[in-house]
Amino acid sequence: MTAPAVPPAASPAAPLALLAELTHRCPLRCPYCSNPTALTRPGEELDTAIWARVFQEAAALGCLQVHLSGGEPTARRDILDLVRAASEAGLYTNLITSGVLTGGAKLQALAEAGLDHVQLSVQDAEPASADRIGGYRGGHAKKLEFARLVQASGLPLTLNAVVHRQNLDRLPQLVALALELGAGRLEVAHVQYYGWALANRDALLPTRAQLEAATATVEAARRALKGRLVIDYVVPDYYAKRPKSCMGGWGRQFLAVSPAGRVLPCHAAESLPGFDFPNVRQVSLRWAWEASEAFNRFRGTGWMPAPCRGCERAEIDWGGCRCQAFALAGDAAATDPACALSPHHGVLSLAVEAAVEAGFEFTYREPQKVPG
């Protein structure tokens, strides 16, 4: 491994967390998957030793936690070794999983290896719909059984529900499911539209009425369940007037490493053309974070065009999402169309109108299919 020298300029603050995308392999085929449309082959994945070094470098850089993700991270045969390596590096370990490949013995082994937390994805509260959305027959039942194993193990559990037009009406049942399964946290995450989700946007975008009902459900549940269940709520940008602070700002709080070793400011950044993202096979994680052109290109506010430049929210939303700007405006440096001041803001209304007339069929996440 070569490690170019870090320039003497002031270093950015340390990232809070590392997303370790261990593999793109997954038995589910979710049509909103955040993986890139060009999936990494198993033979191109980082090996155990490189991941162990990455975890050590992440801890030395200042990361406090690592999210072990995929695809499905437990598809890796060395998942126990990877959890152990992350734990020995001093990182808080969170497994982001579909739950369909892990039984009681494996879960116990993961806990003994140092696993601290489990985040389980669910596609719906209704079994048939959940299995249809995930493209995996019997998956929902396996998830429920896995959640009960997590509860019995004593590991803390977060339930992650990605919501959209085809399951949002059952949000009250998803809240009830989180309580039934003993989750301490429920993430109600509206689909974010890039990659596979962008290809399925017409089938996934909720109506405004659905969104307003969901927001009311979340607010009521937060009041009623305070102290029992924490509910995170990520709303869709397509009804926004101002953009979100995507990942806390480009290169400010978060970094990801892809299965092939590319170091990214967010898990979707590989969708952006014109970037030479550094790879942990050639450089250190610190160099990628502090010195690489890819991380510095949209860091801070100096890169911003009007109307972002000089805006009072420039250091609140940090320009919004670069991947969304590219997907909708064709330019990663453009003002995020989620902002009402963007000249491209109208494309969101057009997308919502188109979705109202669309059907419900999906293009599923599959290696041989490239949406576009």
Side-chain angles (χ1 to χ4, degrees), residues 31-74:
Y32 49 73
C33 182
S34 62
N35 286 162
T37 53
L39 301 175
T40 298
R41 300 175 185 276
E44 300 170 338
E45 295 172 359
L46 298 180
D47 62 26
T48 313
I50 295 179
W51 273 119
R53 171 175 61 79
V54 169
F55 298 149
Q56 291 287 341
E57 292 182 0
L61 187 56
C63 285
L64 302 177
Q65 54 189 282
V66 59
H67 303 288
L68 303 169
S69 181
E72 172 49 55
T74 62

mmCIF file of all heavy atoms in Angstrom, residues 31-74:
data_model
loop_
_atom_site.group_PDB
_atom_site.id
_atom_site.type_symbol
_atom_site.label_atom_id
_atom_site.label_comp_id
_atom_site.label_asym_id
_atom_site.label_seq_id
_atom_site.Cartn_x
_atom_site.Cartn_y
_atom_site.Cartn_z
ATOM 1 N N PRO A 31 -36.422 -3.249 -4.649
ATOM 2 C CA PRO A 31 -36.400 -2.337 -5.801
ATOM 3 C C PRO A 31 -35.963 -0.919 -5.456
ATOM 4 O O PRO A 31 -35.867 -0.079 -6.345
ATOM 5 C CB PRO A 31 -37.856 -2.354 -6.277
ATOM 6 C CG PRO A 31 -38.652 -2.683 -5.059
ATOM 7 C CD PRO A 31 -37.797 -3.630 -4.274
ATOM 8 N N TYR A 32 -35.700 -0.648 -4.169
ATOM 9 C CA TYR A 32 -35.188 0.662 -3.763
ATOM 10 C C TYR A 32 -33.767 0.557 -3.225
ATOM 11 O O TYR A 32 -33.275 1.488 -2.594
ATOM 12 C CB TYR A 32 -36.087 1.276 -2.680
ATOM 13 C CG TYR A 32 -36.395 0.326 -1.543
ATOM 14 C CD1 TYR A 32 -35.427 -0.002 -0.597
ATOM 15 C CD2 TYR A 32 -37.655 -0.256 -1.434
ATOM 16 C CE1 TYR A 32 -35.703 -0.884 0.428
ATOM 17 C CE2 TYR A 32 -37.942 -1.137 -0.415
ATOM 18 C CZ TYR A 32 -36.958 -1.445 0.514
ATOM 19 O OH TYR A 32 -37.236 -2.335 1.528
ATOM 20 N N CYS A 33 -33.101 -0.561 -3.482
ATOM 21 C CA CYS A 33 -31.775 -0.814 -2.911
ATOM 22 C C CYS A 33 -30.818 0.351 -3.188
ATOM 23 O O CYS A 33 -30.790 0.906 -4.288
ATOM 24 C CB CYS A 33 -31.198 -2.096 -3.486
ATOM 25 S SG CYS A 33 -29.580 -2.529 -2.812
ATOM 26 N N SER A 34 -30.031 0.707 -2.171
ATOM 27 C CA SER A 34 -29.089 1.821 -2.318
ATOM 28 C C SER A 34 -27.760 1.391 -2.928
ATOM 29 O O SER A 34 -26.891 2.230 -3.159
ATOM 30 C CB SER A 34 -28.831 2.475 -0.956
ATOM 31 O OG SER A 34 -28.242 1.550 -0.055
ATOM 32 N N ASN A 35 -27.582 0.093 -3.179
ATOM 33 C CA ASN A 35 -26.362 -0.344 -3.861
ATOM 34 C C ASN A 35 -26.318 0.216 -5.275
ATOM 35 O O ASN A 35 -27.361 0.480 -5.881
ATOM 36 C CB ASN A 35 -26.299 -1.874 -3.939
ATOM 37 C CG ASN A 35 -25.971 -2.549 -2.624
ATOM 38 O OD1 ASN A 35 -26.214 -3.741 -2.474
ATOM 39 N ND2 ASN A 35 -25.437 -1.818 -1.661
ATOM 40 N N PRO A 36 -25.117 0.395 -5.832
ATOM 41 C CA PRO A 36 -25.029 0.871 -7.218
ATOM 42 C C PRO A 36 -25.617 -0.146 -8.177
ATOM 43 O O PRO A 36 -25.751 -1.333 -7.850
ATOM 44 C CB PRO A 36 -23.518 1.046 -7.428
ATOM 45 C CG PRO A 36 -22.884 0.131 -6.430
ATOM 46 C CD PRO A 36 -23.791 0.143 -5.234
ATOM 47 N N THR A 37 -25.978 0.312 -9.362
ATOM 48 C CA THR A 37 -26.555 -0.608 -10.333
ATOM 49 C C THR A 37 -25.520 -1.581 -10.884
ATOM 50 O O THR A 37 -25.876 -2.666 -11.340
ATOM 51 C CB THR A 37 -27.194 0.174 -11.489
ATOM 52 O OG1 THR A 37 -26.231 1.098 -12.017
ATOM 53 C CG2 THR A 37 -28.399 0.959 -10.994
ATOM 54 N N ALA A 38 -24.245 -1.226 -10.832
ATOM 55 C CA ALA A 38 -23.167 -2.148 -11.209
ATOM 56 C C ALA A 38 -22.636 -2.773 -9.920
ATOM 57 O O ALA A 38 -21.864 -2.163 -9.184
ATOM 58 C CB ALA A 38 -22.053 -1.412 -11.943
ATOM 59 N N LEU A 39 -23.070 -3.994 -9.631
ATOM 60 C CA LEU A 39 -22.749 -4.631 -8.365
ATOM 61 C C LEU A 39 -21.360 -5.264 -8.391
ATOM 62 O O LEU A 39 -20.950 -5.857 -9.388
ATOM 63 C CB LEU A 39 -23.797 -5.695 -8.040
ATOM 64 C CG LEU A 39 -25.244 -5.184 -7.943
ATOM 65 C CD1 LEU A 39 -26.207 -6.345 -7.747
ATOM 66 C CD2 LEU A 39 -25.384 -4.177 -6.823
ATOM 67 N N THR A 40 -20.641 -5.145 -7.283
ATOM 68 C CA THR A 40 -19.296 -5.721 -7.171
ATOM 69 C C THR A 40 -19.384 -7.239 -7.107
ATOM 70 O O THR A 40 -20.167 -7.807 -6.335
ATOM 71 C CB THR A 40 -18.598 -5.193 -5.906
ATOM 72 O OG1 THR A 40 -18.467 -3.776 -6.009
ATOM 73 C CG2 THR A 40 -17.223 -5.819 -5.731
ATOM 74 N N ARG A 41 -18.561 -7.916 -7.895
ATOM 75 C CA ARG A 41 -18.525 -9.376 -7.886
ATOM 76 C C ARG A 41 -17.803 -9.872 -6.635
ATOM 77 O O ARG A 41 -16.907 -9.192 -6.116
ATOM 78 C CB ARG A 41 -17.811 -9.901 -9.136
ATOM 79 C CG ARG A 41 -18.464 -9.490 -10.443
ATOM 80 C CD ARG A 41 -17.633 -9.941 -11.636
ATOM 81 N NE ARG A 41 -18.177 -9.451 -12.888
ATOM 82 C CZ ARG A 41 -19.156 -10.040 -13.574
ATOM 83 N NH1 ARG A 41 -19.679 -11.177 -13.109
ATOM 84 N NH2 ARG A 41 -19.596 -9.531 -14.698
ATOM 85 N N PRO A 42 -18.162 -11.079 -6.142
ATOM 86 C CA PRO A 42 -17.515 -11.598 -4.932
ATOM 87 C C PRO A 42 -15.989 -11.642 -5.015
ATOM 88 O O PRO A 42 -15.299 -11.358 -4.039
ATOM 89 C CB PRO A 42 -18.106 -13.007 -4.797
ATOM 90 C CG PRO A 42 -19.450 -12.894 -5.443
ATOM 91 C CD PRO A 42 -19.265 -11.949 -6.590
ATOM 92 N N GLY A 43 -15.452 -11.970 -6.191
ATOM 93 C CA GLY A 43 -14.004 -12.054 -6.333
ATOM 94 C C GLY A 43 -13.301 -10.715 -6.246
ATOM 95 O O GLY A 43 -12.064 -10.671 -6.107
ATOM 96 N N GLU A 44 -14.054 -9.611 -6.326
ATOM 97 C CA GLU A 44 -13.466 -8.270 -6.259
ATOM 98 C C GLU A 44 -13.542 -7.672 -4.856
ATOM 99 O O GLU A 44 -13.041 -6.580 -4.616
ATOM 100 C CB GLU A 44 -14.190 -7.345 -7.243
ATOM 101 C CG GLU A 44 -14.104 -7.797 -8.697
ATOM 102 C CD GLU A 44 -15.020 -7.000 -9.608
ATOM 103 O OE1 GLU A 44 -16.001 -6.412 -9.088
ATOM 104 O OE2 GLU A 44 -14.772 -6.960 -10.823
ATOM 105 N N GLU A 45 -14.150 -8.395 -3.898
ATOM 106 C CA GLU A 45 -14.332 -7.870 -2.558
ATOM 107 C C GLU A 45 -13.016 -7.827 -1.782
ATOM 108 O O GLU A 45 -12.120 -8.658 -1.987
ATOM 109 C CB GLU A 45 -15.344 -8.731 -1.793
ATOM 110 C CG GLU A 45 -16.741 -8.694 -2.368
ATOM 111 C CD GLU A 45 -17.682 -9.693 -1.715
ATOM 112 O OE1 GLU A 45 -17.233 -10.435 -0.807
ATOM 113 O OE2 GLU A 45 -18.850 -9.743 -2.114
ATOM 114 N N LEU A 46 -12.915 -6.867 -0.871
ATOM 115 C CA LEU A 46 -11.768 -6.806 0.025
ATOM 116 C C LEU A 46 -11.708 -8.069 0.878
ATOM 117 O O LEU A 46 -12.741 -8.609 1.284
ATOM 118 C CB LEU A 46 -11.876 -5.596 0.952
ATOM 119 C CG LEU A 46 -11.891 -4.204 0.315
ATOM 120 C CD1 LEU A 46 -12.003 -3.145 1.412
ATOM 121 C CD2 LEU A 46 -10.647 -3.971 -0.523
ATOM 122 N N ASP A 47 -10.495 -8.517 1.180
ATOM 123 C CA ASP A 47 -10.367 -9.709 2.021
ATOM 124 C C ASP A 47 -10.388 -9.332 3.499
ATOM 125 O O ASP A 47 -10.431 -8.150 3.874
ATOM 126 C CB ASP A 47 -9.110 -10.507 1.661
ATOM 127 C CG ASP A 47 -7.809 -9.737 1.873
ATOM 128 O OD1 ASP A 47 -7.777 -8.819 2.721
ATOM 129 O OD2 ASP A 47 -6.812 -10.066 1.204
ATOM 130 N N THR A 48 -10.336 -10.335 4.341
ATOM 131 C CA THR A 48 -10.445 -10.131 5.788
ATOM 132 C C THR A 48 -9.351 -9.221 6.316
ATOM 133 O O THR A 48 -9.606 -8.314 7.128
ATOM 134 C CB THR A 48 -10.378 -11.484 6.514
ATOM 135 O OG1 THR A 48 -11.250 -12.420 5.891
ATOM 136 C CG2 THR A 48 -10.757 -11.329 7.982
ATOM 137 N N ALA A 49 -8.123 -9.452 5.876
ATOM 138 C CA ALA A 49 -6.987 -8.697 6.405
ATOM 139 C C ALA A 49 -7.098 -7.209 6.068
ATOM 140 O O ALA A 49 -6.791 -6.350 6.907
ATOM 141 C CB ALA A 49 -5.683 -9.274 5.869
ATOM 142 N N ILE A 50 -7.527 -6.891 4.850
ATOM 143 C CA ILE A 50 -7.649 -5.473 4.479
ATOM 144 C C ILE A 50 -8.757 -4.812 5.285
ATOM 145 O O ILE A 50 -8.603 -3.691 5.783
ATOM 146 C CB ILE A 50 -7.886 -5.318 2.970
ATOM 147 C CG1 ILE A 50 -6.661 -5.810 2.184
ATOM 148 C CG2 ILE A 50 -8.170 -3.857 2.628
ATOM 149 C CD1 ILE A 50 -6.809 -5.715 0.683
ATOM 150 N N TRP A 51 -9.875 -5.504 5.456
ATOM 151 C CA TRP A 51 -10.943 -4.926 6.266
ATOM 152 C C TRP A 51 -10.476 -4.687 7.698
ATOM 153 O O TRP A 51 -10.792 -3.650 8.304
ATOM 154 C CB TRP A 51 -12.180 -5.819 6.261
ATOM 155 C CG TRP A 51 -13.121 -5.576 5.113
ATOM 156 C CD1 TRP A 51 -13.488 -6.450 4.140
ATOM 157 C CD2 TRP A 51 -13.831 -4.361 4.829
ATOM 158 N NE1 TRP A 51 -14.370 -5.865 3.264
ATOM 159 C CE2 TRP A 51 -14.609 -4.585 3.664
ATOM 160 C CE3 TRP A 51 -13.882 -3.104 5.431
ATOM 161 C CZ2 TRP A 51 -15.424 -3.603 3.103
ATOM 162 C CZ3 TRP A 51 -14.698 -2.115 4.878
ATOM 163 C CH2 TRP A 51 -15.453 -2.369 3.740
ATOM 164 N N ALA A 52 -9.709 -5.629 8.247
ATOM 165 C CA ALA A 52 -9.208 -5.453 9.610
ATOM 166 C C ALA A 52 -8.327 -4.207 9.703
ATOM 167 O O ALA A 52 -8.394 -3.445 10.681
ATOM 168 C CB ALA A 52 -8.438 -6.692 10.057
ATOM 169 N N ARG A 53 -7.505 -3.981 8.690
ATOM 170 C CA ARG A 53 -6.675 -2.767 8.676
ATOM 171 C C ARG A 53 -7.543 -1.524 8.566
ATOM 172 O O ARG A 53 -7.290 -0.510 9.230
ATOM 173 C CB ARG A 53 -5.682 -2.823 7.509
ATOM 174 C CG ARG A 53 -4.932 -1.499 7.297
ATOM 175 C CD ARG A 53 -3.870 -1.602 6.239
ATOM 176 N NE ARG A 53 -4.354 -1.938 4.928
ATOM 177 C CZ ARG A 53 -4.931 -1.076 4.091
ATOM 178 N NH1 ARG A 53 -5.151 0.184 4.465
ATOM 179 N NH2 ARG A 53 -5.312 -1.457 2.893
ATOM 180 N N VAL A 54 -8.567 -1.577 7.731
ATOM 181 C CA VAL A 54 -9.475 -0.436 7.583
ATOM 182 C C VAL A 54 -10.121 -0.088 8.919
ATOM 183 O O VAL A 54 -10.242 1.087 9.288
ATOM 184 C CB VAL A 54 -10.542 -0.736 6.511
ATOM 185 C CG1 VAL A 54 -11.660 0.315 6.539
ATOM 186 C CG2 VAL A 54 -9.906 -0.780 5.126
ATOM 187 N N PHE A 55 -10.536 -1.102 9.676
ATOM 188 C CA PHE A 55 -11.158 -0.842 10.974
ATOM 189 C C PHE A 55 -10.165 -0.165 11.923
ATOM 190 O O PHE A 55 -10.530 0.762 12.659
ATOM 191 C CB PHE A 55 -11.675 -2.137 11.590
ATOM 192 C CG PHE A 55 -12.748 -2.818 10.772
ATOM 193 C CD1 PHE A 55 -12.875 -4.202 10.781
ATOM 194 C CD2 PHE A 55 -13.642 -2.079 9.999
ATOM 195 C CE1 PHE A 55 -13.863 -4.834 10.037
ATOM 196 C CE2 PHE A 55 -14.629 -2.697 9.246
ATOM 197 C CZ PHE A 55 -14.729 -4.087 9.265
ATOM 198 N N GLN A 56 -8.915 -0.622 11.925
ATOM 199 C CA GLN A 56 -7.902 -0.002 12.766
ATOM 200 C C GLN A 56 -7.671 1.452 12.347
ATOM 201 O O GLN A 56 -7.563 2.350 13.192
ATOM 202 C CB GLN A 56 -6.595 -0.794 12.677
ATOM 203 C CG GLN A 56 -6.631 -2.173 13.326
ATOM 204 C CD GLN A 56 -6.629 -2.102 14.843
ATOM 205 O OE1 GLN A 56 -6.262 -1.088 15.433
ATOM 206 N NE2 GLN A 56 -7.023 -3.195 15.483
ATOM 207 N N GLU A 57 -7.619 1.692 11.049
ATOM 208 C CA GLU A 57 -7.406 3.051 10.551
ATOM 209 C C GLU A 57 -8.608 3.946 10.849
ATOM 210 O O GLU A 57 -8.438 5.144 11.139
ATOM 211 C CB GLU A 57 -7.117 3.018 9.053
ATOM 212 C CG GLU A 57 -5.767 2.378 8.716
ATOM 213 C CD GLU A 57 -5.481 2.393 7.222
ATOM 214 O OE1 GLU A 57 -6.322 2.898 6.448
ATOM 215 O OE2 GLU A 57 -4.397 1.909 6.834
ATOM 216 N N ALA A 58 -9.807 3.384 10.791
ATOM 217 C CA ALA A 58 -11.002 4.169 11.104
ATOM 218 C C ALA A 58 -10.977 4.616 12.563
ATOM 219 O O ALA A 58 -11.284 5.770 12.883
ATOM 220 C CB ALA A 58 -12.260 3.352 10.817
ATOM 221 N N ALA A 59 -10.616 3.701 13.453
ATOM 222 C CA ALA A 59 -10.535 4.052 14.870
ATOM 223 C C ALA A 59 -9.464 5.105 15.111
ATOM 224 O O ALA A 59 -9.672 6.067 15.869
ATOM 225 C CB ALA A 59 -10.262 2.801 15.694
ATOM 226 N N ALA A 60 -8.302 4.958 14.450
ATOM 227 C CA ALA A 60 -7.221 5.937 14.610
ATOM 228 C C ALA A 60 -7.617 7.297 14.053
ATOM 229 O O ALA A 60 -7.172 8.337 14.553
ATOM 230 C CB ALA A 60 -5.960 5.426 13.909
ATOM 231 N N LEU A 61 -8.476 7.292 13.044
ATOM 232 C CA LEU A 61 -8.940 8.545 12.439
ATOM 233 C C LEU A 61 -9.936 9.273 13.339
ATOM 234 O O LEU A 61 -10.115 10.481 13.225
ATOM 235 C CB LEU A 61 -9.581 8.233 11.086
ATOM 236 C CG LEU A 61 -10.000 9.384 10.174
ATOM 237 C CD1 LEU A 61 -8.828 10.322 9.884
ATOM 238 C CD2 LEU A 61 -10.567 8.823 8.864
ATOM 239 N N GLY A 62 -10.581 8.528 14.237
ATOM 240 C CA GLY A 62 -11.534 9.134 15.159
ATOM 241 C C GLY A 62 -12.941 8.592 15.071
ATOM 242 O O GLY A 62 -13.824 9.033 15.812
ATOM 243 N N CYS A 63 -13.185 7.635 14.176
ATOM 244 C CA CYS A 63 -14.514 7.032 14.087
ATOM 245 C C CYS A 63 -14.866 6.346 15.406
ATOM 246 O O CYS A 63 -14.023 5.705 16.032
ATOM 247 C CB CYS A 63 -14.563 6.003 12.961
ATOM 248 S SG CYS A 63 -14.622 6.689 11.309
ATOM 249 N N LEU A 64 -16.120 6.451 15.791
ATOM 250 C CA LEU A 64 -16.599 5.821 17.013
ATOM 251 C C LEU A 64 -17.341 4.522 16.747
ATOM 252 O O LEU A 64 -17.396 3.657 17.610
ATOM 253 C CB LEU A 64 -17.525 6.787 17.769
ATOM 254 C CG LEU A 64 -16.917 8.133 18.159
ATOM 255 C CD1 LEU A 64 -17.974 9.009 18.824
ATOM 256 C CD2 LEU A 64 -15.718 7.936 19.079
ATOM 257 N N GLN A 65 -17.916 4.408 15.558
ATOM 258 C CA GLN A 65 -18.736 3.234 15.276
ATOM 259 C C GLN A 65 -18.575 2.799 13.831
ATOM 260 O O GLN A 65 -18.181 3.590 12.969
ATOM 261 C CB GLN A 65 -20.198 3.527 15.574
ATOM 262 C CG GLN A 65 -20.747 4.752 14.870
ATOM 263 C CD GLN A 65 -22.126 5.134 15.363
ATOM 264 O OE1 GLN A 65 -23.114 4.510 14.970
ATOM 265 N NE2 GLN A 65 -22.209 6.149 16.202
ATOM 266 N N VAL A 66 -18.873 1.523 13.599
ATOM 267 C CA VAL A 66 -18.852 0.986 12.249
ATOM 268 C C VAL A 66 -20.181 0.287 11.996
ATOM 269 O O VAL A 66 -20.681 -0.460 12.841
ATOM 270 C CB VAL A 66 -17.673 0.006 12.035
ATOM 271 C CG1 VAL A 66 -17.727 -1.173 12.989
ATOM 272 C CG2 VAL A 66 -17.639 -0.486 10.591
ATOM 273 N N HIS A 67 -20.764 0.585 10.845
ATOM 274 C CA HIS A 67 -21.996 -0.065 10.418
ATOM 275 C C HIS A 67 -21.617 -1.119 9.378
ATOM 276 O O HIS A 67 -21.143 -0.781 8.291
ATOM 277 C CB HIS A 67 -22.955 0.958 9.832
ATOM 278 C CG HIS A 67 -23.291 2.070 10.780
ATOM 279 N ND1 HIS A 67 -24.099 1.892 11.881
ATOM 280 C CD2 HIS A 67 -22.894 3.373 10.810
ATOM 281 C CE1 HIS A 67 -24.212 3.032 12.535
ATOM 282 N NE2 HIS A 67 -23.477 3.941 11.911
ATOM 283 N N LEU A 68 -21.802 -2.375 9.728
ATOM 284 C CA LEU A 68 -21.441 -3.489 8.845
ATOM 285 C C LEU A 68 -22.635 -3.783 7.959
ATOM 286 O O LEU A 68 -23.666 -4.280 8.412
ATOM 287 C CB LEU A 68 -21.052 -4.709 9.678
ATOM 288 C CG LEU A 68 -19.900 -4.463 10.670
ATOM 289 C CD1 LEU A 68 -19.759 -5.628 11.636
ATOM 290 C CD2 LEU A 68 -18.594 -4.212 9.934
ATOM 291 N N SER A 69 -22.478 -3.472 6.669
ATOM 292 C CA SER A 69 -23.615 -3.465 5.776
ATOM 293 C C SER A 69 -23.290 -4.225 4.499
ATOM 294 O O SER A 69 -22.269 -4.872 4.370
ATOM 295 C CB SER A 69 -24.006 -2.007 5.478
ATOM 296 O OG SER A 69 -25.112 -1.939 4.625
ATOM 297 N N GLY A 70 -24.202 -4.119 3.528
ATOM 298 C CA GLY A 70 -24.024 -4.771 2.258
ATOM 299 C C GLY A 70 -24.833 -4.046 1.183
ATOM 300 O O GLY A 70 -24.918 -2.820 1.207
ATOM 301 N N GLY A 71 -25.517 -4.834 0.370
ATOM 302 C CA GLY A 71 -25.915 -6.233 0.410
ATOM 303 C C GLY A 71 -26.215 -6.760 1.803
ATOM 304 O O GLY A 71 -26.589 -6.033 2.712
ATOM 305 N N GLU A 72 -26.047 -8.050 1.918
ATOM 306 C CA GLU A 72 -26.272 -8.742 3.183
ATOM 307 C C GLU A 72 -24.922 -9.130 3.775
ATOM 308 O O GLU A 72 -24.243 -10.027 3.262
ATOM 309 C CB GLU A 72 -27.148 -9.986 2.967
ATOM 310 C CG GLU A 72 -27.279 -10.889 4.179
ATOM 311 C CD GLU A 72 -27.650 -10.115 5.432
ATOM 312 O OE1 GLU A 72 -28.677 -9.395 5.419
ATOM 313 O OE2 GLU A 72 -26.911 -10.220 6.429
ATOM 314 N N PRO A 73 -24.478 -8.466 4.851
ATOM 315 C CA PRO A 73 -23.129 -8.698 5.377
ATOM 316 C C PRO A 73 -22.888 -10.116 5.865
ATOM 317 O O PRO A 73 -21.758 -10.613 5.816
ATOM 318 C CB PRO A 73 -23.014 -7.685 6.525
ATOM 319 C CG PRO A 73 -24.419 -7.338 6.879
ATOM 320 C CD PRO A 73 -25.198 -7.422 5.606
ATOM 321 N N THR A 74 -23.947 -10.795 6.325
ATOM 322 C CA THR A 74 -23.736 -12.157 6.811
ATOM 323 C C THR A 74 -23.552 -13.165 5.675
ATOM 324 O O THR A 74 -23.316 -14.346 5.924
ATOM 325 C CB THR A 74 -24.897 -12.608 7.714
ATOM 326 O OG1 THR A 74 -26.113 -12.610 6.972
ATOM 327 C CG2 THR A 74 -25.028 -11.680 8.912
#
